[in-house]
Amino acid sequence: MADQDNTPAPAGFKKVTEGKATILFPDTNEVFYNPIQEFNRDTSIAAIRTWDAIFQEERSARNAEKKARREANVAKRAQEGLDPLPEKEYPEGVDPFTPRGITILEALSASGLRSIRYAKEIPNVRHILTNDLEADAVASIKRNAEFNGISPELLEPHKGDAIDVLYQHRDPTKRYDVIDLDPYGTASPFIDGAVQAVSDGGLLCVTCTDLAVLAGTNYTETCFAKYGGHPVKAEFCHEVALRLVLHALATSAARYKRHIVPLVSLSIDYYLRVFIRVFSSAAEVKMTASKTCLAYVCTGCQSTYTQFLGKVSDNSKGNKKFGVNTGPPVDGHCEHCGSKFHVAGPMWGKELHSVSFVERMLKHIQENSALYKTQPRILGMLSLCKEEIEAPFYYTANGLSGIVHCTSIPLLKVVSALLNEGYEVSGSHAAQGSIKTNAPPSAVWDVMRSWVKLNPVKNIRPDSPAHKILAVEPAKIANFEMHPDAKSESRKQHLVRYQINPTKNWGPQARAGGGNKRKA
């Protein structure tokens, strides 16, 4: 490949190096470069490489099973005095039992930086289709691929509408092993095609940057139209945003007898990034309703209760029986503060991450630290994901203190009190100072009532949620003694767990020239 470091940039361009790729960017805004997204690209490379190792292991295991079954059939027929059955013929030079490289489709590429990094940093890639709708972007992809010495056979620049390209690859023989959707804004227009165009067991990488829609309450109608659920006004709005995106992916896949398995679901800075596997299984699709929930969120104290839409039980023969769940799980008014509830969702109600996958991804990053400039933050965020318990949503110590108008309770005091009562507790990667727990809201408010007894409050309005919560005596006085597990491993190791603003006025940059809303 070409030595880009010693090759001068042509007139009108500047060189930008990220990872093993050096890209030519025009001095104008035809195609933009956002350095903050290096974390996104580093994480994506690590996720794809980790998934590929698992994918190849699974493929090898299936091939070994087929080979053993074929040999057993040959031996059995030989014992019976029969000739072996004719074997399936393959094109010359094709061995179905030899591991093959993976294929990647980047549907909204812009400069081609992501695809070029994939080509140079993921060793098992066979072919990448790098697509964009804008002619300037496709020219940039070709120019940068040539500058990096990448052949058209490995990285194929393509001009086309991303939706059309996805639908053109729905046939199982044309599907891609990895599909990457990284649009400027919402990914919702591309989801239906993507869940059909990814191979069985393949990896779907999806970014959404429209957090004003997903994590706010000013555009609830837009959120429902795009993702099939309502957001929520609460501290845990970013986790709800992740669950709404996963819900959109799960329900879209279910229409085609496919189901999703979330590997890592990340709330990062001003966007979301999820990595999921897509499998074909009519039986698993039946579980979709039982993985989908509504959330009832108190408007006064943010006590939250979930309700799954479907239920699954086993009959006397051991077969699964599917039905409609009963509900709601709450009365018209909150039992703690008397306020009304808002209903959020429907949304994905199960786990956000695969712990086994996150552990393998962490191991890969630790063993290849030189490959990833943003490695410290990746390790910190993935460590938090590994520690997260499966309980949905979270509180914050400051938020709990604010609701009852008391002196701020230290985070470790809340964590210790809940752990001392036998509940599970962890942080969330989505918010600093967060508290995920399987304790019911009544237990959480008992902790706060106990804290207020030690730190009295004054002048609370009689009609406020704080007054109604504190008017009730705690069922049990909380034990605030430091619990040995109160500090998580990531906290003890002083990992970079939450983002520090890297530059002044950082964040999403202006859309590239051309103005087409489907452009990356």
Side-chain angles (χ1 to χ4, degrees), residues 124-143:
N124 195 36
V125 176
R126 176 163 52 94
H127 179 73
I128 303 173
L129 185 66
T130 308
N131 179 75
D132 203 279
L133 182 61
E134 300 292 338
D136 287 340
V138 177
S140 174
I141 295 166
K142 291 178 180 177
R143 179 171 56 245

Side-chain angles (χ1 to χ4, degrees), residues 39 42-43 46-47 49-51 54 263-264 266 353-369 372 374-388 489-490 493 495-496:
F39 175 79
D42 280 356
T43 305
R49 290 184 63 161
T50 304
W51 161 85
I54 297 170
L263 300 180
V264 190
L266 302 175
H353 321 289
S354 164
V355 174
S356 61
F357 182 85
V358 172
E359 288 175 343
R360 287 192 65 156
M361 192 169 167
L362 277 167
K363 182 180 178 183
H364 163 77
I365 293 166
Q366 289 165 344
E367 293 174 349
N368 299 274
S369 58
Y372 306 108
T374 61
Q375 185 234 26
R377 189 185 176 198
I378 298 175
L379 288 177
M381 181 168 280
L382 290 180
S383 296
L384 277 169
C385 293
K386 186 180 76 169
E387 293 168 353
E388 285 184 16
E489 286 301 314
S490 62
Q493 295 173 22
L495 297 178
V496 181

Side-chain angles (χ1 to χ4, degrees), residues 36-290:
I36 304 304
Q37 285 287 70
E38 183 173 6
F39 175 79
N40 181 324
R41 290 182 280 267
D42 280 356
T43 305
S44 299
I45 291 167
I48 294 171
R49 290 184 63 161
T50 304
W51 161 85
D52 182 41
I54 297 170
F55 192 59
Q56 299 303 334
E57 288 169 7
E58 293 172 347
R59 180 178 283 165
S60 297
R62 287 194 302 270
N63 287 340
E65 185 180 344
K66 290 178 183 177
K67 195 171 184 179
R69 196 162 54 239
R70 185 184 65 183
E71 291 172 353
N73 288 335
V74 170
K76 182 180 178 181
R77 290 181 67 84
Q79 289 177 354
E80 296 171 353
L82 300 174
D83 293 332
L85 292 172
E87 295 185 9
K88 182 178 179 180
E89 294 185 0
Y90 294 93
E92 186 177 351
V94 175
D95 183 355
F97 300 108
T98 300
R100 62 177 178 83
I102 60 172
T103 57
I104 300 176
L105 166 59
E106 187 186 4
L108 303 131
S109 183
S111 68
L113 170 58
R114 184 181 297 265
S115 286
I116 290 169
R117 287 197 62 187
Y118 288 173
K120 300 187 76 170
E121 299 178 40
I122 301 175
N124 195 36
V125 176
R126 176 163 52 94
H127 179 73
I128 303 173
L129 185 66
T130 308
N131 179 75
D132 203 279
L133 182 61
E134 300 292 338
D136 287 340
V138 177
S140 174
I141 295 166
K142 291 178 180 177
R143 179 171 56 245
N144 286 319
E146 291 173 0
F147 190 73
N148 283 267
I150 301 173
S151 69
E153 289 74 28
L154 176 58
L155 192 155
E156 178 188 351
H158 184 273
K159 183 180 183 299
D161 185 293
I163 296 175
D164 290 342
V165 173
L166 291 166
Y167 281 129
Q168 289 164 10
H169 293 88
R170 291 176 295 170
D171 187 294
T173 62
K174 298 180 180 179
R175 288 173 176 165
Y176 280 84
D177 298 319
V178 179
I179 293 180
D180 195 312
L181 300 177
D182 188 30
Y184 193 103
T186 179
S188 62
F190 314 105
I191 287 175
D192 186 76
V195 296
Q196 297 180 72
V198 68
S199 63
D200 198 25
L203 182 67
L204 191 52
C205 317
V206 181
T207 300
C208 291
T209 65
D210 56 333
L211 288 187
V213 171
L214 280 163
T217 54
N218 291 328
Y219 308 101
T220 56
E221 75 291 348
T222 304
C223 187
F224 192 88
K226 290 182 176 181
Y227 300 100
H230 276 138
V232 67
K233 186 177 182 180
E235 289 183 304
F236 50 83
C237 59
H238 287 87
E239 181 175 323
V240 170
L242 282 171
R243 294 182 180 279
L244 288 169
V245 173
L246 291 173
H247 167 70
L249 289 161
T251 51
S252 291
R255 297 186 186 101
Y256 308 102
K257 298 182 179 180
R258 312 193 85 185
H259 72 101
I260 71 166
V261 177
L263 300 180
V264 190
S265 307
L266 302 175
S267 174
I268 309 168
D269 304 333
Y270 53 85
Y271 64 93
L272 308 178
R273 181 73 164 167
V274 299
F275 300 90
I276 66 167
R277 295 189 73 179
V278 180
F279 295 91
S280 299
S281 172
E284 284 294 330
V285 167
K286 295 179 181 179
M287 304 290 291
T288 304
S290 61

Side-chain angles (χ1 to χ4, degrees), residues 459-473:
N459 303 324
I460 298 177
R461 293 200 328 267
D463 60 341
S464 67
H467 185 274
K468 294 175 182 177
I469 290 170
L470 297 177
V472 178
E473 286 294 312

